[in-house]
Amino acid sequence: MGSSQSALNFGAGPAKLPREVLNDVQYEFISYQNAGMSIIEMSHRSKEYITINKNAQDAIRKLLNVPSNYEVLFMQGGGCGAFAAVALNLINRTGTADYAVTGTWSGKAAKEATKYGKVNLLFPKADKPGSIPDQKTWNFDPNASYVYYCDNETVDGVEFPYVPNTNGVPIVCDMSSSIMTKTLDISKFGVIFGGAQKNIGPAGVVVVIIRKDLFGASHDCVVYVMEKVLQWIIKQGGVKAMQKQAEEKSGLLYKTISNSNSYYSCPIDENVRSRINIPFRVGGKSGNEKLEEKFLEEAEKLSMFQLKGHRSVGGIRASLYNAVSLDDVKSLVKFMEEFQKEHPH
Ligand SMILES: *Cc1c(COP(=O)(O)O)cnc(C)c1O
């Protein structure tokens, strides 16, 4: 095959979108619902756009059971913009905030927040991410405006298996790469945010779910494709179905890694392994870069793309967002098993 139609996209973000959504967008792109013009040519105050915006908000409320005392906002500025927005809007309440640094993105968020207030690290930064210290050992500041953590560290492959208990201090959570992959009790959170380009749409919009008493300023922006992805998730059976699928897909990949006699290895503690972004090395525990290069080359020959690990980590990373199917992952593990046979180390 080898046509772009059949590429298996394991990219970490921007990432794979459901084919059905792309077909739909293509079909109606020139003339949105027989309006004779494209949605991107219409006023943001047109009834068409206002309907898309409202439908996207409603779909998020429905998919995540968002209570009525929370607002759903669409903002610009990417996930990193939200690092600043969170601190700018919330840290002033007491001047200090608690941060759990479990990898690259929470590290950046903590650094950003130091510009606006005092940042208390809940535990010392590990030299190498890969574990999350027990909550009982965390150094909470009772005066903190909020407790911040990143649910799923996209670069490192570390995922929280629980929501921390903060004794009533509002929780701010970065869910850029895990939103819509598990059911949540939203009432435990003060703010949840996520850049769309990982799991729910194209780049350019950040979803913010915020408890109304924590409110700052809000902005609107275009959410056309995201709304379609959300409808697609509803059609697939909602977040529960996505969660089940995420467990199945990542389970298959981790099983392949652990059955490989250490040919493949994942450096992350088993209890905090991400179901979404799975980093691993090829050719032993610390990886064999030559073999990894070969791995990427041969994967591409089989139309499997974007498997290179983040430059700060190296190795391989497979991102298994909602649009990546179980069949895609089966193709990947089949390739991994064959590669191991053909390239013993
Ligand atoms: C990608 C990512 C970000 C940064 O998002 P941008 O939109 O690129 O700024 C932040 N947090 C997490 C968990 C991410 O995966």
Side-chain angles (χ1 to χ4, degrees), residues 24 103 109 153 199 243 263:
D24 215 14
E153 283 286 0
N199 221 347
Q243 180 165 355
Y263 185 80

Side-chain angles (χ1 to χ4, degrees), residues 78-80 83 105 150 152 154 174 176-177 197-198:
C80 293
F83 298 165
W105 292 115
C150 175
N152 182 63
T154 318
D174 176 357
S176 293
S177 52
Q197 74 272 25
K198 305 289 163 62

Side-chain angles (χ1 to χ4, degrees), residues 10-120:
F10 292 100
K16 184 175 178 185
L17 289 171
R19 175 55 48 106
E20 191 183 318
V21 167
L22 295 179
N23 283 339
D24 215 14
V25 167
Q26 181 182 46
Y27 177 75
E28 66 182 25
F29 194 65
I30 302 275
S31 175
Y32 181 73
Q33 296 185 351
N34 299 319
M37 65 173 93
S38 176
I39 189 71
I40 63 165
E41 300 171 299
M42 285 184 204
S43 163
H44 56 296
R45 296 187 216 288
S46 64
K47 69 175 187 325
E48 287 86 355
Y49 175 70
I50 287 172
T51 304
I52 288 173
N53 198 82
K54 177 165 188 316
N55 287 350
Q57 284 172 326
D58 288 350
I60 287 171
R61 285 190 176 280
K62 178 172 165 185
L63 282 163
L64 294 177
N65 283 319
V66 178
S68 60
N69 62 324
Y70 286 74
E71 203 69 64
V72 175
L73 308 175
F74 303 128
M75 318 243 300
Q76 295 175 318
C80 293
F83 298 165
V86 157
L88 277 164
N89 282 289
L90 299 178
I91 207 167
N92 248 348
R93 301 187 321 136
T94 65
T96 158
D98 285 346
Y99 276 74
V101 174
T102 55
T104 306
W105 292 115
S106 49
K108 288 193 179 183
K111 188 161 171 232
E112 183 68 23
T114 58
K115 294 181 190 164
Y116 311 108
K118 185 173 159 286
V119 166
N120 171 51

Side-chain angles (χ1 to χ4, degrees), residues 176-187:
S176 293
S177 52
S178 55
I179 193 163
M180 300 296 166
T181 72
K182 55 174 133 191
T183 54
L184 295 170
D185 178 357
I186 299 286
S187 71

